[in-house]
Amino acid sequence: MTEADTAADVLNALDNASGRATLLFSPDALDGMDDIVRRAAATGHALALEIGGAETAAAALEQIERGNEKLWLAANVKTRLVYLRETSGEVLGAVANAGYYPITVQVQYTPRSGGAAAAERIVARVDAYGGSCRIYAGSDADAARWLPTALNRMRAENCTVSALNEVTA
């Protein structure tokens, strides 16, 4: 999540559909998101750090530590769940060896339009993985438009929708 309004809209959509998710925040995006972080943690959503472009393990770990410090200040929580974008296998391995749980994503989806058509496309992608996959919905405001419909369609097809945790990551 990069903007408080978008994050609030996504949380509203998830809550209205009784869905739980793992919300990704970059350390920089956490500035000004204290209320969102507290709300997400209090309502059963998992929190993860999105780390982008770390060229070295030290750089990735510094970003993770900075993000966890901000999570702690906002809501007295820390996370070991991390989504590493644009990084090497070496950095990924070092982060895992440091005790963090890198998230892998099977489906990255940013729809060109919201509503039922977007929901159908995301459900088709989930079906392609046998009904079990991790979806990265991005951070734009459109996710709040198509997410409720997609969640309802997945539930209608008996898909379990849940947040990642350290066991499932």
Side-chain angles (χ1 to χ4, degrees):
M1 300 281 115
T2 57
E3 296 177 18
D5 290 343
T6 298
D9 289 344
V10 168
L11 282 173
N12 290 338
L14 288 163
D15 290 344
N16 289 339
S18 299
R20 294 293 167 257
T22 302
L23 302 177
L24 304 169
F25 295 94
S26 72
D28 292 336
L30 284 165
D31 293 331
M33 293 273 223
D34 294 2
D35 290 341
I36 296 296
V37 169
R38 281 190 291 274
R39 176 181 169 196
T43 56
H45 299 283
L47 302 172
L49 295 170
E50 184 171 2
I51 306 301
E55 294 184 14
T56 66
L61 292 170
E62 185 277 325
Q63 287 185 56
I64 293 167
E65 289 171 17
R66 192 165 42 92
N68 267 325
E69 183 177 317
K70 290 180 180 186
L71 288 174
W72 184 257
L73 291 172
N76 291 337
V77 297
K78 290 187 177 188
T79 186
R80 293 192 299 170
L81 297 172
V82 294
Y83 178 58
L84 297 159
R85 288 184 297 107
E86 303 161 7
T87 194
S88 69
E90 183 179 317
V91 171
L92 187 80
V95 167
N97 287 336
Y100 295 99
Y101 293 87
I103 298 169
T104 57
V105 175
Q106 289 93 3
V107 177
Q108 285 192 311
Y109 187 66
T110 305
R112 293 189 181 104
S113 63
E120 289 300 321
R121 286 190 294 279
I122 196 75
V123 170
R125 289 185 177 192
V126 171
D127 286 344
Y129 281 91
S132 176
C133 71
R134 295 179 190 108
I135 301 167
Y136 178 75
S139 61
D140 64 22
D142 287 335
R145 286 196 345 238
W146 62 262
L147 191 57
T149 306
L151 288 170
N152 290 333
R153 284 277 293 116
M154 285 186 257
R155 282 212 167 77
E157 302 218 1
N158 295 318
C159 295
T160 301
V161 178
S162 61
L164 293 174
N165 58 44
E166 293 175 5
V167 175
T168 59

